[in-house]
Amino acid sequence: MNQNPTLECIPGKVITLSTQLEKPSPFYFGYDIEESFISELEKYTFDKIFFFTEPHLFALYGKDLYLKICEKFPCALEFVPTGESCKYFPVLEEVCEKLITKGASKKSILLSFGGGTVGNIVGLVAGLIYRGIRFLEIPTSMTGQTDSTLSNKQAVNGKTGKNHFGVYHAPIFIWVDTKYLKTDPPSSRRSGIIEGIKNGFISDAAFLDYLEETLNPDVKFSDEQLYHLAYKIILSKLEILKKDPSEKGYGIILEYGHTFGHGIEWLEKGKLSHGESVSFGMKIAAELCKQLGFISQKDVERHYYLIEDKLGFNNPLPRSITAETLLDAMIADNKKTGRELRYVLLEKIGQCYNPEGDYLVTVEPKLVKKVLENFIQHQTQLLTA
Ligand SMILES: NC(=O)c1ccc[n+]([C@@H]2O[C@H](COP(=O)([O-])OP(=O)(O)OC[C@H]3O[C@@H](n4cnc5c(N)ncnc54)[C@H](O)[C@@H]3O)[C@@H](O)[C@H]2O)c1
Protein backbone atom coordinates (compact mmCIF):
# COMPACT_ATOMS: atom_id res chain seq x y z
CA MET A 1 0.00 0.00 0.00
CA ASN A 2 1.22 3.49 -0.81
CA GLN A 3 1.84 5.20 2.59
CA ASN A 4 1.97 8.61 0.97
CA PRO A 5 -0.87 9.43 -1.44
CA THR A 6 1.05 12.36 -2.97
CA LEU A 7 4.01 10.16 -3.86
CA GLU A 8 4.17 9.92 -7.62
CA CYS A 9 6.33 7.47 -9.52
CA ILE A 10 8.00 9.80 -11.99
CA PRO A 11 10.73 8.09 -14.06
CA GLY A 12 14.10 9.77 -13.51
CA LYS A 13 13.01 11.73 -10.38
CA VAL A 14 15.20 11.17 -7.34
CA ILE A 15 13.73 11.78 -3.89
CA THR A 16 15.63 11.91 -0.60
CA LEU A 17 14.58 9.98 2.48
CA SER A 18 16.34 10.17 5.83
CA THR A 19 17.51 6.98 7.49
CA GLN A 20 17.57 8.78 10.88
CA LEU A 21 20.32 6.41 11.94
CA GLU A 22 22.56 8.83 13.81
CA LYS A 23 22.06 8.34 17.54
CA PRO A 24 24.41 9.65 20.20
CA SER A 25 25.43 7.20 22.92
CA PRO A 26 24.68 8.20 26.53
CA PHE A 27 27.93 9.28 28.20
CA TYR A 28 27.96 8.93 32.01
CA PHE A 29 30.68 10.70 33.96
CA GLY A 30 31.61 10.75 37.64
CA TYR A 31 34.00 9.76 40.40
CA ASP A 32 33.56 6.42 42.20
CA ILE A 33 30.26 5.66 40.47
CA GLU A 34 30.48 1.85 40.24
CA GLU A 35 27.45 1.41 42.49
CA SER A 36 25.17 3.04 39.90
CA PHE A 37 26.53 0.94 37.03
CA ILE A 38 24.39 -2.13 37.72
CA SER A 39 21.16 -0.12 37.74
CA GLU A 40 22.14 1.35 34.36
CA LEU A 41 22.78 -2.15 33.01
CA GLU A 42 19.39 -3.33 34.28
CA LYS A 43 17.75 -1.06 31.70
CA TYR A 44 18.89 -3.41 28.92
CA THR A 45 17.70 -6.87 27.93
CA PHE A 46 20.42 -9.35 27.03
CA ASP A 47 21.36 -13.01 27.42
CA LYS A 48 24.96 -12.61 28.55
CA ILE A 49 27.68 -10.04 29.12
CA PHE A 50 31.22 -10.72 27.86
CA PHE A 51 33.57 -8.70 30.06
CA PHE A 52 36.83 -7.86 28.23
CA THR A 53 39.87 -6.44 29.95
CA GLU A 54 43.63 -6.75 30.45
CA PRO A 55 44.85 -9.00 33.30
CA HIS A 56 46.47 -6.17 35.31
CA LEU A 57 43.37 -3.95 35.01
CA PHE A 58 41.23 -6.86 36.16
CA ALA A 59 43.39 -7.20 39.25
CA LEU A 60 43.34 -3.44 39.92
CA TYR A 61 39.62 -2.69 39.50
CA GLY A 62 37.88 -4.98 37.03
CA LYS A 63 37.40 -7.91 39.41
CA ASP A 64 35.13 -5.98 41.80
CA LEU A 65 32.93 -4.80 38.99
CA TYR A 66 32.94 -8.17 37.26
CA LEU A 67 31.81 -9.92 40.46
CA LYS A 68 29.05 -7.34 40.97
CA ILE A 69 27.81 -7.99 37.43
CA CYS A 70 28.02 -11.79 37.97
CA GLU A 71 25.72 -11.49 41.01
CA LYS A 72 22.94 -10.20 38.76
CA PHE A 73 23.57 -11.43 35.22
CA PRO A 74 25.26 -14.23 33.25
CA CYS A 75 28.74 -12.87 32.62
CA ALA A 76 31.95 -14.32 31.13
CA LEU A 77 35.46 -12.95 31.54
CA GLU A 78 37.79 -12.54 28.54
CA PHE A 79 41.34 -11.19 28.49
CA VAL A 80 43.03 -9.36 25.61
CA PRO A 81 46.77 -8.64 25.28
CA THR A 82 47.99 -5.41 26.87
CA GLY A 83 48.16 -2.17 24.90
CA GLU A 84 48.59 -1.73 21.16
CA SER A 85 49.55 -5.41 20.71
CA CYS A 86 45.85 -6.31 20.85
CA LYS A 87 45.04 -4.21 17.79
CA TYR A 88 46.03 -6.74 15.11
CA PHE A 89 44.14 -9.19 12.89
CA PRO A 90 45.26 -12.40 14.66
CA VAL A 91 43.84 -11.12 17.96
CA LEU A 92 40.68 -9.91 16.21
CA GLU A 93 40.10 -13.31 14.60
CA GLU A 94 40.85 -15.21 17.80
CA VAL A 95 38.46 -13.10 19.86
CA CYS A 96 35.66 -13.30 17.27
CA GLU A 97 35.90 -17.07 16.92
CA LYS A 98 36.20 -17.59 20.69
CA LEU A 99 33.04 -15.59 21.27
CA ILE A 100 31.05 -17.71 18.83
CA THR A 101 32.36 -20.90 20.46
CA LYS A 102 31.46 -19.58 23.89
CA GLY A 103 27.88 -18.92 22.85
CA ALA A 104 27.76 -15.20 22.12
CA SER A 105 24.47 -14.42 20.40
CA LYS A 106 22.83 -11.41 18.82
CA LYS A 107 21.36 -10.71 22.26
CA SER A 108 24.75 -10.58 24.01
CA ILE A 109 26.54 -7.41 25.09
CA LEU A 110 30.32 -7.01 24.99
CA LEU A 111 31.84 -4.81 27.70
CA SER A 112 35.26 -3.24 27.30
CA PHE A 113 37.08 -2.31 30.50
CA GLY A 114 40.43 -0.68 29.75
CA GLY A 115 42.28 1.89 27.70
CA GLY A 116 41.67 2.99 24.13
CA THR A 117 43.16 -0.20 22.72
CA VAL A 118 40.79 -2.54 24.57
CA GLY A 119 37.92 -0.24 23.56
CA ASN A 120 38.98 -0.32 19.90
CA ILE A 121 39.33 -4.10 19.62
CA VAL A 122 36.13 -4.85 21.53
CA GLY A 123 34.23 -2.19 19.55
CA LEU A 124 35.43 -3.71 16.29
CA VAL A 125 34.60 -7.27 17.37
CA ALA A 126 31.12 -6.07 18.37
CA GLY A 127 30.75 -4.37 14.99
CA LEU A 128 31.65 -7.55 13.11
CA ILE A 129 30.01 -10.41 14.98
CA TYR A 130 26.66 -11.28 13.37
CA ARG A 131 27.01 -7.96 11.47
CA GLY A 132 26.95 -6.00 14.71
CA ILE A 133 25.96 -6.66 18.30
CA ARG A 134 25.82 -4.25 21.25
CA PHE A 135 28.80 -3.21 23.32
CA LEU A 136 29.51 -0.73 26.07
CA GLU A 137 32.69 0.99 27.13
CA ILE A 138 34.22 1.59 30.54
CA PRO A 139 37.42 3.48 29.66
CA THR A 140 40.12 3.48 32.32
CA SER A 141 42.89 5.61 30.76
CA MET A 142 42.97 9.37 30.17
CA THR A 143 42.89 8.77 26.39
CA GLY A 144 40.02 6.31 26.71
CA GLN A 145 37.98 8.64 28.91
CA THR A 146 38.57 11.89 27.05
CA ASP A 147 39.20 10.92 23.46
CA SER A 148 38.78 7.45 21.96
CA THR A 149 35.31 6.70 23.37
CA LEU A 150 33.95 9.95 21.89
CA SER A 151 34.52 8.90 18.30
CA ASN A 152 32.73 5.57 17.61
CA LYS A 153 35.77 4.66 15.49
CA GLN A 154 36.81 1.03 16.02
CA ALA A 155 39.89 -0.33 14.28
CA VAL A 156 42.91 -2.59 14.15
CA ASN A 157 46.26 -1.79 12.58
CA GLY A 158 47.39 -3.13 9.21
CA LYS A 159 50.84 -4.07 7.92
CA THR A 160 51.50 -0.57 6.60
CA GLY A 161 49.70 1.72 9.01
CA LYS A 162 47.59 2.45 12.06
CA ASN A 163 43.84 1.88 12.17
CA HIS A 164 43.64 0.77 8.54
CA PHE A 165 40.82 -1.72 9.13
CA GLY A 166 37.74 -0.83 11.09
CA VAL A 167 34.15 0.25 11.34
CA TYR A 168 32.09 3.01 12.92
CA HIS A 169 30.15 1.29 15.68
CA ALA A 170 28.59 3.15 18.60
CA PRO A 171 28.47 1.74 22.15
CA ILE A 172 25.08 1.55 23.89
CA PHE A 173 26.63 3.76 26.55
CA ILE A 174 29.97 4.97 27.90
CA TRP A 175 30.69 4.85 31.61
CA VAL A 176 33.49 7.14 32.72
CA ASP A 177 34.66 6.78 36.33
CA THR A 178 37.65 9.04 36.92
CA LYS A 179 38.54 6.94 39.98
CA TYR A 180 40.46 4.68 37.57
CA LEU A 181 42.73 7.53 36.46
CA LYS A 182 44.57 7.39 39.79
CA THR A 183 46.74 4.51 38.54
CA ASP A 184 46.86 5.44 34.85
CA PRO A 185 50.64 5.52 34.22
CA PRO A 186 52.24 8.96 33.59
CA SER A 187 52.95 8.23 29.91
CA SER A 188 49.33 7.18 29.41
CA ARG A 189 48.05 10.27 31.28
CA ARG A 190 50.22 12.49 29.09
CA SER A 191 48.86 10.76 25.97
CA GLY A 192 45.33 11.74 26.91
CA ILE A 193 46.22 15.27 27.97
CA ILE A 194 48.17 16.01 24.77
CA GLU A 195 44.92 15.70 22.82
CA GLY A 196 43.41 18.28 25.20
CA ILE A 197 46.34 20.63 24.48
CA LYS A 198 45.70 20.02 20.79
CA ASN A 199 42.01 20.89 21.23
CA GLY A 200 43.08 24.21 22.78
CA PHE A 201 45.42 25.06 19.90
CA ILE A 202 42.84 24.23 17.23
CA SER A 203 39.69 25.70 18.74
CA ASP A 204 39.92 27.30 22.16
CA ALA A 205 42.78 29.59 23.19
CA ALA A 206 41.24 30.14 26.66
CA PHE A 207 41.48 26.39 27.30
CA LEU A 208 45.24 26.64 26.81
CA ASP A 209 45.38 29.23 29.65
CA TYR A 210 43.56 26.76 31.91
CA LEU A 211 45.96 23.95 30.93
CA GLU A 212 48.98 26.19 31.51
CA GLU A 213 47.76 26.84 35.07
CA THR A 214 46.77 23.23 35.79
CA LEU A 215 49.44 20.98 34.27
CA ASN A 216 52.74 19.89 35.81
CA PRO A 217 55.49 17.92 34.06
CA ASP A 218 55.16 14.95 36.44
CA VAL A 219 51.42 14.78 35.67
CA LYS A 220 50.75 14.36 39.39
CA PHE A 221 47.20 15.33 40.31
CA SER A 222 44.74 14.77 43.13
CA ASP A 223 41.61 12.72 42.41
CA GLU A 224 39.64 15.94 42.26
CA GLN A 225 42.06 17.56 39.83
CA LEU A 226 41.91 14.48 37.58
CA TYR A 227 38.13 14.65 37.66
CA HIS A 228 38.14 18.31 36.55
CA LEU A 229 40.89 17.84 33.99
CA ALA A 230 39.17 14.85 32.34
CA TYR A 231 35.84 16.69 32.33
CA LYS A 232 37.30 19.78 30.66
CA ILE A 233 39.19 17.79 28.03
CA ILE A 234 36.00 15.86 27.20
CA LEU A 235 34.11 19.17 26.81
CA SER A 236 36.87 20.56 24.59
CA LYS A 237 36.37 17.64 22.17
CA LEU A 238 32.56 17.64 22.44
CA GLU A 239 32.47 21.32 21.42
CA ILE A 240 34.13 20.30 18.15
CA LEU A 241 32.03 17.16 17.66
CA LYS A 242 28.85 19.18 18.26
CA LYS A 243 29.62 21.10 15.07
CA ASP A 244 30.62 17.98 13.11
CA PRO A 245 30.04 14.53 14.67
CA SER A 246 31.30 12.85 11.49
CA GLU A 247 34.81 14.36 11.98
CA LYS A 248 35.03 14.68 8.20
CA GLY A 249 34.30 18.42 7.77
CA TYR A 250 35.11 20.87 10.56
CA GLY A 251 35.85 17.95 12.89
CA ILE A 252 38.89 16.98 10.83
CA ILE A 253 40.76 19.70 12.77
CA LEU A 254 41.11 17.06 15.51
CA GLU A 255 43.82 15.62 13.25
CA TYR A 256 46.17 18.56 13.95
CA GLY A 257 49.69 17.13 14.30
CA HIS A 258 48.45 13.66 13.41
CA THR A 259 49.78 13.46 9.81
CA PHE A 260 53.31 13.65 11.25
CA GLY A 261 52.34 11.86 14.47
CA HIS A 262 50.94 8.76 12.78
CA GLY A 263 54.13 8.46 10.69
CA ILE A 264 56.31 8.68 13.82
CA GLU A 265 54.12 6.21 15.74
CA TRP A 266 54.29 3.75 12.87
CA LEU A 267 58.07 4.02 12.49
CA GLU A 268 58.59 3.43 16.21
CA LYS A 269 56.44 0.27 16.17
CA GLY A 270 55.05 0.56 19.68
CA LYS A 271 58.13 2.14 21.32
CA LEU A 272 56.41 5.53 21.27
CA SER A 273 52.78 5.88 22.33
CA HIS A 274 50.17 7.49 20.12
CA GLY A 275 50.19 10.54 22.40
CA GLU A 276 53.94 11.03 22.45
CA SER A 277 54.06 10.63 18.66
CA VAL A 278 51.33 13.25 18.30
CA SER A 279 53.28 15.56 20.65
CA PHE A 280 56.16 15.53 18.13
CA GLY A 281 53.63 15.87 15.32
CA MET A 282 52.17 19.02 16.88
CA LYS A 283 55.59 20.62 17.30
CA ILE A 284 56.42 19.89 13.64
CA ALA A 285 53.00 21.17 12.53
CA ALA A 286 53.62 24.39 14.49
CA GLU A 287 57.01 24.85 12.78
CA LEU A 288 55.29 24.33 9.42
CA CYS A 289 52.59 26.90 10.25
CA LYS A 290 55.34 29.39 11.15
CA GLN A 291 57.17 28.76 7.87
CA LEU A 292 53.91 29.40 6.03
CA GLY A 293 53.64 32.75 7.84
CA PHE A 294 50.50 31.83 9.78
CA ILE A 295 51.77 31.86 13.36
CA SER A 296 54.65 33.59 15.13
CA GLN A 297 57.79 32.21 16.76
CA LYS A 298 56.12 33.01 20.10
CA ASP A 299 53.16 30.77 19.16
CA VAL A 300 55.57 27.96 18.23
CA GLU A 301 57.33 28.39 21.58
CA ARG A 302 53.97 28.06 23.32
CA HIS A 303 53.66 24.61 21.76
CA TYR A 304 57.08 23.61 23.14
CA TYR A 305 56.31 25.16 26.53
CA LEU A 306 52.99 23.35 26.98
CA ILE A 307 54.15 20.01 25.57
CA GLU A 308 57.62 19.83 27.14
CA ASP A 309 57.67 22.08 30.22
CA LYS A 310 54.07 21.73 31.36
CA LEU A 311 53.19 18.18 30.20
CA GLY A 312 56.61 16.57 30.47
CA PHE A 313 56.71 15.09 26.97
CA ASN A 314 60.32 16.24 26.64
CA ASN A 315 62.32 13.35 25.14
CA PRO A 316 64.01 14.14 21.83
CA LEU A 317 62.78 12.39 18.70
CA PRO A 318 64.44 8.94 18.33
CA ARG A 319 67.67 9.15 16.33
CA SER A 320 66.55 6.47 13.84
CA ILE A 321 63.91 8.77 12.35
CA THR A 322 65.00 10.83 9.33
CA ALA A 323 63.05 13.25 7.15
CA GLU A 324 63.00 10.61 4.39
CA THR A 325 61.79 7.69 6.52
CA LEU A 326 59.17 9.87 8.16
CA LEU A 327 57.84 11.14 4.83
CA ASP A 328 57.67 7.55 3.51
CA ALA A 329 55.77 6.42 6.60
CA MET A 330 53.37 9.37 6.29
CA ILE A 331 52.71 8.53 2.63
CA ALA A 332 52.08 4.85 3.50
CA ASP A 333 49.73 5.85 6.33
CA ASN A 334 47.93 8.29 4.03
CA LYS A 335 46.87 5.57 1.55
CA LYS A 336 43.37 5.75 2.99
CA THR A 337 42.70 9.24 1.60
CA GLY A 338 43.84 8.37 -1.94
CA ARG A 339 45.26 11.91 -2.23
CA GLU A 340 48.53 13.68 -1.66
CA LEU A 341 49.59 14.45 1.91
CA ARG A 342 47.46 17.16 3.51
CA TYR A 343 47.71 18.89 6.87
CA VAL A 344 45.56 20.63 9.44
CA LEU A 345 47.23 24.02 9.98
CA LEU A 346 46.78 26.80 12.52
CA GLU A 347 45.86 30.23 11.23
CA LYS A 348 46.29 31.55 14.74
CA ILE A 349 46.14 30.09 18.23
CA GLY A 350 42.65 28.68 18.70
CA GLN A 351 41.75 28.70 15.01
CA CYS A 352 42.56 26.48 12.04
CA TYR A 353 43.30 27.56 8.50
CA ASN A 354 40.35 26.92 6.23
CA PRO A 355 40.92 27.98 2.63
CA GLU A 356 37.89 27.32 0.45
CA GLY A 357 36.06 25.40 3.16
CA ASP A 358 38.62 22.63 3.52
CA TYR A 359 40.60 22.20 6.73
CA LEU A 360 42.99 19.70 5.16
CA VAL A 361 45.56 21.67 3.24
CA THR A 362 48.20 20.63 0.69
CA VAL A 363 51.64 22.11 1.32
CA GLU A 364 54.58 22.26 -1.10
CA PRO A 365 56.44 18.95 -0.36
CA LYS A 366 59.83 20.71 -0.50
CA LEU A 367 58.78 23.02 2.33
CA VAL A 368 57.53 20.10 4.44
CA LYS A 369 60.85 18.30 3.88
CA LYS A 370 62.81 21.41 4.88
CA VAL A 371 60.75 21.82 8.07
CA LEU A 372 61.30 18.15 8.89
CA GLU A 373 65.05 18.35 8.27
CA ASN A 374 65.39 21.42 10.50
CA PHE A 375 63.29 19.84 13.24
CA ILE A 376 65.23 16.56 13.13
CA GLN A 377 68.58 18.37 13.06
CA HIS A 378 67.59 20.27 16.19
CA GLN A 379 66.45 17.03 17.86
CA THR A 380 69.78 15.37 16.99
CA GLN A 381 71.62 18.29 18.62
CA LEU A 382 69.55 17.71 21.77
CA LEU A 383 70.52 14.03 21.73
CA THR A 384 74.23 14.78 21.41
CA ALA A 385 74.24 17.72 23.86
N1 LIG B 1 38.75 5.71 18.10
C1 LIG B 1 39.36 6.85 18.21
O1 LIG B 1 38.90 7.82 17.73
C2 LIG B 1 40.65 6.93 18.97
C3 LIG B 1 41.09 8.14 19.50
C4 LIG B 1 42.27 8.17 20.25
C5 LIG B 1 42.98 7.00 20.43
N2 LIG B 1 42.51 5.85 19.88
C6 LIG B 1 43.26 4.61 20.04
O2 LIG B 1 43.41 4.36 21.43
C7 LIG B 1 44.65 3.71 21.66
C8 LIG B 1 45.40 4.44 22.74
O3 LIG B 1 44.63 4.40 23.93
P1 LIG B 1 45.34 4.42 25.36
O4 LIG B 1 46.29 5.57 25.40
O5 LIG B 1 44.29 4.33 26.38
O6 LIG B 1 46.27 3.13 25.28
P2 LIG B 1 46.21 1.71 26.02
O7 LIG B 1 44.86 1.11 25.92
O8 LIG B 1 47.34 0.95 25.46
O9 LIG B 1 46.47 2.10 27.53
C9 LIG B 1 47.72 2.63 27.89
C10 LIG B 1 48.37 1.82 29.00
O10 LIG B 1 47.75 2.18 30.23
C11 LIG B 1 47.30 1.01 30.91
N3 LIG B 1 46.11 1.43 31.66
C12 LIG B 1 44.93 1.86 31.17
N4 LIG B 1 44.16 2.27 32.17
C13 LIG B 1 44.85 2.11 33.32
C14 LIG B 1 44.56 2.36 34.70
N5 LIG B 1 43.42 2.92 35.10
N6 LIG B 1 45.51 2.03 35.61
C15 LIG B 1 46.70 1.47 35.23
N7 LIG B 1 47.03 1.24 33.93
C16 LIG B 1 46.11 1.56 33.01
C17 LIG B 1 47.07 -0.01 29.84
O11 LIG B 1 47.20 -1.31 30.36
C18 LIG B 1 48.19 0.32 28.86
O12 LIG B 1 49.38 -0.31 29.27
C19 LIG B 1 45.41 3.70 20.34
O13 LIG B 1 45.33 2.43 19.76
C20 LIG B 1 44.67 4.71 19.49
O14 LIG B 1 44.69 4.38 18.10
C21 LIG B 1 41.37 5.79 19.17
Side-chain angles (χ1 to χ4, degrees):
M1 200 179 86
N2 189 350
Q3 299 284 329
N4 181 349
T6 62
L7 185 68
E8 275 185 82
C9 174
I10 302 171
K13 184 180 175 194
V14 178
I15 61 167
T16 311
L17 302 177
S18 170
T19 57
Q20 307 286 346
L21 286 178
E22 285 285 332
K23 193 170 138 257
S25 308
F27 191 98
Y28 302 106
F29 180 90
Y31 175 79
D32 202 5
I33 52 173
E34 248 168 45
E35 288 303 323
S36 314
F37 178 78
I38 300 294
S39 45
E40 184 55 34
L41 206 52
E42 278 168 343
K43 294 179 187 164
Y44 296 84
T45 308
F46 52 89
D47 59 4
K48 191 167 181 176
I49 295 262
F50 287 86
F51 188 108
F52 283 87
T53 190
E54 296 174 7
H56 81 108
L57 292 174
F58 184 70
L60 269 173
Y61 312 101
K63 192 170 176 191
D64 285 353
L65 186 63
Y66 169 72
L67 292 176
K68 272 188 198 135
I69 298 173
C70 289
E71 279 171 22
K72 292 260 179 178
F73 310 104
C75 184
L77 176 65
E78 299 294 333
F79 288 122
V80 286
T82 298
E84 201 68 24
S85 59
C86 75
K87 283 185 53 172
Y88 285 90
F89 266 118
V91 179
L92 178 68
E93 185 182 4
E94 193 190 319
V95 173
C96 285
E97 294 292 355
K98 206 197 277 177
L99 277 175
I100 309 278
T101 323
K102 290 194 170 180
S105 79
K106 285 188 176 180
K107 290 188 193 141
S108 306
I109 291 179
L110 311 188
L111 182 160
S112 94
F113 185 91
T117 53
V118 185
N120 268 197
I121 187 85
V122 173
L124 182 54
V125 168
L128 293 177
I129 288 202
Y130 307 129
R131 300 196 189 95
I133 64 171
R134 292 166 297 168
F135 83 112
L136 66 93
E137 290 194 76
I138 307 184
T140 58
S141 65
M142 189 59 103
T143 298
Q145 299 203 345
T146 63
D147 192 19
S148 64
T149 42
L150 294 172
S151 284
N152 295 341
K153 291 193 275 188
Q154 322 300 346
V156 289
N157 304 321
K159 287 191 173 140
T160 56
K162 279 263 304 174
N163 297 329
H164 273 183
F165 304 99
V167 296
Y168 287 83
H169 190 51
I172 50 173
F173 66 89
I174 301 149
W175 190 264
V176 169
D177 189 336
T178 62
K179 173 179 90 171
Y180 307 133
L181 295 179
K182 197 187 192 73
T183 52
D184 191 24
S187 63
S188 176
R189 272 188 193 175
R190 289 190 183 102
S191 285
I193 298 170
I194 189 74
E195 302 283 351
I197 294 179
K198 176 205 68 188
N199 296 347
F201 276 117
I202 59 179
S203 69
D204 187 355
F207 187 49
L208 290 178
D209 297 337
Y210 162 79
L211 290 171
E212 240 166 58
E213 275 167 35
T214 310
L215 298 182
N216 64 76
D218 297 324
V219 284
K220 282 200 175 134
F221 303 103
S222 66
D223 287 352
E224 205 175 336
Q225 285 171 323
L226 282 170
Y227 175 90
H228 287 288
L229 188 57
Y231 180 75
K232 288 192 190 249
I233 298 176
I234 290 166
L235 288 197
S236 72
K237 181 160 179 177
L238 285 182
E239 279 304 312
I240 295 166
L241 292 180
K242 239 193 257 171
K243 293 182 190 153
D244 174 24
S246 77
E247 294 180 49
K248 287 176 184 149
Y250 172 71
I252 203 79
I253 64 170
L254 290 161
E255 293 285 303
Y256 179 59
H258 282 56
T259 312
F260 299 109
H262 279 156
I264 294 168
E265 187 177 2
W266 189 249
L267 283 177
E268 282 304 291
K269 297 266 177 279
K271 283 183 268 162
L272 282 187
S273 67
H274 175 72
E276 191 163 9
S277 307
V278 168
S279 78
F280 288 115
M282 281 168 58
K283 289 188 276 190
I284 302 170
E287 299 282 5
L288 183 60
C289 296
K290 189 189 83 177
Q291 284 299 320
L292 288 163
F294 295 158
I295 64 172
S296 66
Q297 177 60 26
K298 208 167 144 226
D299 295 333
V300 175
E301 280 162 17
R302 197 159 186 214
H303 280 73
Y304 283 83
Y305 176 64
L306 268 157
I307 294 169
E308 297 182 356
D309 300 356
K310 295 302 294 185
L311 185 61
F313 262 151
N314 47 23
N315 288 328
L317 192 72
R319 205 185 282 271
S320 54
I321 297 178
T322 66
E324 286 75 21
T325 56
L326 182 47
L327 274 170
D328 285 349
M330 286 159 57
I331 290 164
D333 182 65
N334 190 52
K335 274 184 192 139
K336 50 193 167 220
T337 72
R339 298 180 56 162
E340 71 274 59
L341 283 171
R342 294 184 301 158
Y343 306 85
V344 175
L345 300 168
L346 295 187
E347 189 165 50
K348 59 179 187 179
I349 301 295
Q351 194 174 310
C352 290
Y353 182 55
N354 177 24
E356 295 155 21
D358 194 350
Y359 286 96
L360 277 179
V361 184
T362 312
V363 179
E364 176 58 45
K366 270 190 198 148
L367 179 66
V368 176
K369 190 153 183 252
K370 189 177 136 209
V371 167
L372 280 177
E373 282 167 352
N374 288 344
F375 181 79
I376 289 169
Q377 191 188 16
H378 180 63
Q379 298 289 303
T380 314
Q381 283 162 2
L382 293 177
L383 278 165
T384 46

